[in-house]
Amino acid sequence: MSTEPTNTPISQALVLAPDFFLSPVQDVRVDRISPARSVLGVPVLVRVLRQLQDAGVSRSLVILPPEWTGTALTVKKDFRITHKVTFLTADRTDDCSKALREAAGQISGPAFVCRSDLVAPADLFKRLAESKTLGEISAAVEKKTPAPFDMRLLEEDEHLVKSGNGGMVALSGLMLAPDGFFHRLHEGVDLETVFDDFLSGKKVKSFRSSHWRQAVRFKADFKTAEDKLLNSLRKPIDGLIARSINRNLSLPVSRRLAYTFVTPNMASLSTPLFVILAVALLSKGGYGNLLAAALLFQISSIVDGIDGELARLKYQFSKYGEWFDTLADDFCTYTFFGGLTYAVWSGATGPEWLAVFGLITMAAYALVTPMQYSYILMYTDSGDVYAIDYDFSKDGESSALGGFAPVLNALKYVVKRDFFIFSTFVAAVLGVLPYMLILTALGAVSTAAVLFRQHALALKRKRNGKE
């Protein structure tokens, strides 16, 4: 499972330790954490820099206090950071003007300015970049608007920024600054004065976004950051069962595995083991064995979600990993229903005539698999079968298919692998598992027909493009 970089026209970033961001407060709390501290398997600062990298940033300048210089080594050794990162140090007791002057001299705006502990999705940076600041600061603000000048509602490191409706909102630790902002810093003016000058000149505009974000400065922030990161793994394309059942079971497991040596490919490799054991139970027949086999199949579906969750949490995704996951999924599906077909044919369970539907299922899958793989190889840059953008979901093709298109489009979101596997478990509970072979046969034949048409339309478009 991969996450595509969200490129923006902004290629530079200035990353500041929380004490050097706006409105620093001299607090006496002792539970501050280092940016090298891991949140779900990735150091905080590595997460921040990777977010910027995925948003298209090719160079980051980071200002940290001297006691955090060891973090620089952590980042430099981390395989997830491939863009250029320059580290500067500044003492907590000053306003870091010297380090800012040096960093600003190397930046030609616009550029992102953010805290070194601000964990957020790359898409937040993209949306901020789309604000197209020209001579102004676009300041990302919290969605909730505090009462005007009520300082009790502000976190310790936030400025008040005037919103579009005249209210006051809290700066959330991220902004997009223009070239003039960095010119002033290079002249030796401290960060807060420069920001206040832009603010008084009405050159700061607030940018609200529904995207989550979380500053991870104190130990108490970790649980909140973990929860937000895990919740972000819930995908809009998740099927009905994945959304309502599987994710609720897989996410707590991923939370714990993220802090271990377990990789996404290890999780993918474990799913066939459940199915192999399930097939052994199918061959014995009997209600209890069939129910246990279907339960193991359902567990494999839940575990199947863990590999993608770990990949996105730990930035360990690749096309190789996508293909590995796809092959593991198909192996599980073919093995389980092939085992069920054999169990029916051998007389271990169900009426023997159902074996015909099992053979139809296997034959149709033998057509579906190469068509799916060839399509994603030829027309996508992915190893995931969900990357196929079926034409029946597009307006022009929907009209060509008449009333059948809405049915196909609805089934695309409902009858997914997670739904199908859960249906198998329900059939086992009801004692009618062998009859699932009728549905698998119908589903496999229908999928083969849709894929054949999909290939034909893609080839037609390709030929028309060459003419």
Side-chain angles (χ1 to χ4, degrees):
M1 199 64 82
S2 69
T3 300
E4 294 295 327
T6 310
N7 291 321
T8 74
I10 311 302
S11 62
Q12 298 176 93
L14 177 61
V15 181
L16 305 172
D19 283 13
F20 303 142
F21 205 72
L22 298 174
S23 299
V25 172
Q26 300 299 319
D27 56 66
V28 294
R29 294 179 63 173
V30 295
D31 63 343
R32 291 190 197 180
I33 54 92
S34 162
R37 172 79 176 269
S38 171
V39 177
L40 292 173
V42 180
V44 174
L45 183 55
V46 171
R47 282 200 179 278
V48 174
L49 292 171
R50 181 56 192 252
Q51 293 155 191
L52 289 163
Q53 181 176 298
D54 286 350
V57 169
S58 58
R59 187 183 187 195
S60 296
L61 293 101
V62 184
I63 300 179
L64 299 175
E67 62 266 32
W68 285 353
T69 52
T71 303
L73 296 175
T74 300
V75 172
K76 289 175 181 177
K77 292 178 181 178
D78 200 291
F79 70 93
R80 288 164 282 226
I81 304 302
T82 57
H83 73 289
K84 184 177 181 181
V85 181
T86 302
F87 287 90
L88 302 169
T89 59
D91 195 277
R92 291 184 191 273
T93 58
D94 62 30
D95 57 11
C96 76
S97 292
K98 182 179 178 182
L100 276 172
R101 191 161 56 245
E102 183 179 347
Q106 303 177 52
I107 297 177
S108 55
F112 294 116
V113 180
C114 74
R115 290 170 49 141
S116 64
D117 61 351
L118 185 69
V119 179
D123 208 42
L124 173 62
F125 296 85
K126 177 188 175 183
R127 295 291 174 258
L128 184 60
E130 289 174 349
S131 61
K132 297 179 181 177
T133 179
L134 283 174
E136 294 180 316
I137 293 174
S138 289
V141 298
E142 297 296 344
K143 212 175 175 188
K144 295 180 180 178
T145 305
F149 304 109
D150 187 350
M151 299 303 293
R152 293 171 301 172
L153 297 179
L154 296 178
E155 294 183 4
E156 79 280 348
D157 296 331
E158 293 180 331
H159 252 62
L160 284 173
V161 182
K162 195 170 185 178
S163 66
N165 60 10
M168 304 301 288
V169 292
L171 181 64
S172 66
L174 171 65
M175 57 189 178
L176 179 61
D179 201 31
F181 180 87
F182 298 101
H183 282 316
R184 294 292 310 281
L185 290 178
H186 187 50
E187 291 170 356
V189 184
D190 66 86
L191 178 68
E192 191 158 357
T193 299
V194 175
F195 184 85
D196 286 339
D197 287 346
F198 272 77
L199 189 61
S200 61
K202 297 183 179 179
K203 292 184 177 180
V204 176
K205 59 180 180 180
S206 59
F207 171 81
R208 272 195 185 85
S209 171
S210 59
H211 292 93
W212 63 273
R213 77 288 301 266
Q214 177 64 44
V216 191
R217 188 177 188 187
F218 302 105
K219 290 179 182 178
D221 298 325
F222 268 82
K223 175 66 164 55
T224 304
E226 284 184 341
D227 290 343
K228 289 183 178 180
L229 276 166
L230 289 165
N231 192 56
S232 72
L233 300 179
R234 298 178 183 273
K235 300 183 294 184
I237 64 169
D238 279 345
L240 176 64
I241 301 302
R243 192 181 317 120
S244 58
I245 298 176
N246 291 6
R247 289 288 182 202
N248 293 329
L249 297 173
S250 64
L251 288 175
V253 177
S254 293
R255 181 194 290 266
R256 287 158 180 77
L257 291 180
Y259 290 105
T260 71
F261 62 88
V262 176
T263 67
N265 286 345
M266 288 179 184
S268 295
L269 187 60
S270 68
T271 56
L273 300 179
F274 289 101
V275 175
I276 290 171
L277 181 56
V279 170
L281 292 170
L282 287 173
S283 64
K284 296 180 179 179
Y287 178 82
N289 287 326
L290 266 60
L291 179 60
L295 177 61
L296 286 170
F297 196 27
Q298 172 61 25
I299 291 173
S300 76
S301 178
I302 295 169
V303 174
D304 180 47
I306 293 174
D307 58 0
E309 291 165 5
L310 289 177
R312 285 184 288 158
L313 282 176
K314 301 169 82 169
Y315 297 105
Q316 292 179 338
F317 37 74
S318 66
K319 188 180 290 189
Y320 167 78
E322 286 184 327
W323 275 109
F324 193 86
D325 182 37
T326 296
L327 291 169
D329 288 351
D330 286 341
F331 174 85
C332 290
T333 302
Y334 301 159
T335 301
F336 184 87
F337 288 107
L340 182 58
T341 300
Y342 176 78
V344 170
W345 176 78
S346 65
T349 184
E352 292 184 14
W353 59 267
L354 286 174
V356 174
F357 289 96
L359 294 174
I360 293 172
T361 298
M362 296 299 107
Y365 275 151
L367 293 174
V368 167
T369 302
M371 283 196 289
Q372 284 182 325
Y373 291 2
S374 60
Y375 192 92
I376 59 180
L377 282 170
M378 293 168 64
Y379 304 111
T380 75
D381 186 29
S382 176
D384 187 353
V385 294
Y386 289 119
I388 300 176
D389 185 16
Y390 288 99
D391 284 74
F392 58 71
S393 63
K394 301 172 184 176
D395 292 338
E397 292 302 324
S398 295
S399 60
L401 288 169
F404 195 50
V407 176
L408 288 173
N409 208 25
L411 289 175
K412 182 180 73 172
Y413 294 101
V414 177
V415 187
K416 289 192 172 184
R417 187 172 183 273
D418 58 298
F419 184 90
F420 197 68
I421 292 175
F422 184 75
S423 299
T424 300
F425 174 67
V426 172
V429 172
L430 297 175
V432 293
L433 179 59
Y435 290 89
M436 275 297 295
L437 292 174
I438 298 175
L439 294 181
T440 61
L442 292 173
V445 170
S446 300
T447 302
V450 170
L451 277 167
F452 182 82
R453 185 176 187 278
Q454 185 76 12
H455 262 287
L457 289 171
L459 288 171
K460 182 179 178 181
R461 284 195 299 266
K462 191 173 181 180
R463 270 197 237 85
N464 292 339
K466 290 181 179 179
E467 292 174 358

